Amino acid sequence: MADSPLRRQERKIVMNTYKVTLLRGDGIGPEIVAEAVKVLDAAGKKYGFAVEYTDALMGGCAIDATGVPLPQETIDKCLAADAVLLGAVGGWKWDTLPGNLRPEAGLLGIRGALGLFANLRPAKIYGPLKGACPLRPDIIGDSMDIMVVRELTGGIYFGKRGRETVDGVEAAYDTEYYTTKEVERIARIAFESARKRNKKVHNIDKANVLESSRLWRETVLRVAKDYPDVELQHLYVDNAAMQLVRNPKQFDVMLCSNIFGDILSDEASQVAGSIGMLASASLGEGKRGLYEPIHGSAPDIAGQGIANPLATILSVAMMLRYSLDEMDAADAIEKAVEKVLDDGLRTPDIYTEGCRKIGTVEMGDAVVAALA
């Protein structure tokens, strides 16, 4: 008899137990995290592992409870975990707070506290959702599968910033700043990822104008010498934005700085059809990572039970692959999501005529059923 993944799991003498910290966050965050946990528990039951959960506060909910977006207690709980699952942070309620006290400051802070410098953002068009792509069918072809590799802890979001008065006029500045070490380590992540895919890296920069981009490109070129089997091309960021909608099929791995990756990955999500389908993994030197959908907290639909949990569920699949080494379970969740889409089930953001419109909880239940 063939040795199935389930049979291999049944031979485990001791069940693996993983510690996962949940940052449910704001807006729709608690709703989508609940469905992802449901799927993760079902995968554990099927593939022979258990998960112990610890809740912690980050974002607006942390501000309301403690006065800061990232309490030290939350950092400690995340450091004690094998992986961290985040819903979403932010909302109109906190928009008038100073920058260092806004919910988004918690997100930047936890990445730094955990040493997470690489953000992997896959942008994939699923066959049943091709109709949701705003591009013509002849442009997207049969499929699109892009991996955006975004640097997380450097660049303009972390450079020197401030305000000053010059000749009686108020001014503000944010500095794009990178070291060769920061660029080298994210470049290696991109090249290693490309080796497991189609062996092509597009380096995105603005080296014709920015000194930081010139250093970035020089460093990427040096790293590329260690990967002679991977094709390297360079694109200025404005051209890359145009090429994403002109010919997205040309891309495999896109290597980006913090701000460029932030912008282009959101554009890629719309090419893929819906930002509600895109997962992400934030990784550092070790196994621990932070996993989250790339969409926001969507306070306008919070509590209505219509949010799409699939990006968070797919983030759980990435967690199983990159942090927990449960490859069979990761593959199974991704296949379960594809089956649900093949069956015509849709939350409102991806709904098209002829499909069945369902809510957040029902979508989570459907993925669990497909997984089983």
Side-chain angles (χ1 to χ4, degrees), residues 37-70:
V37 167
K38 183 191 302 181
V39 172
L40 181 55
D41 285 340
K45 183 177 181 180
K46 180 174 182 179
Y47 288 94
F49 62 86
V51 181
E52 294 179 356
Y53 300 102
T54 300
D55 274 275
L57 298 176
M58 192 184 81
C61 60
I63 294 170
D64 290 347
T66 71
V68 295
L70 181 62

Side-chain angles (χ1 to χ4, degrees), residues 80-102:
D82 297 306
V84 180
L85 179 63
L86 169 64
V89 297
W92 307 312
K93 180 179 180 181
W94 306 280
D95 279 352
T96 58
L97 293 176
N100 64 320
L101 291 179
R102 289 184 59 161

Side-chain angles (χ1 to χ4, degrees), residues 57 93 100 124 128 135 150 152 190 200 227 319:
L57 298 176
K93 180 179 180 181
N100 64 320
K124 178 179 180 181
L135 303 181
R150 170 192 172 192
L152 268 188
K200 184 192 301 184
Y227 299 88
M319 175 194 297

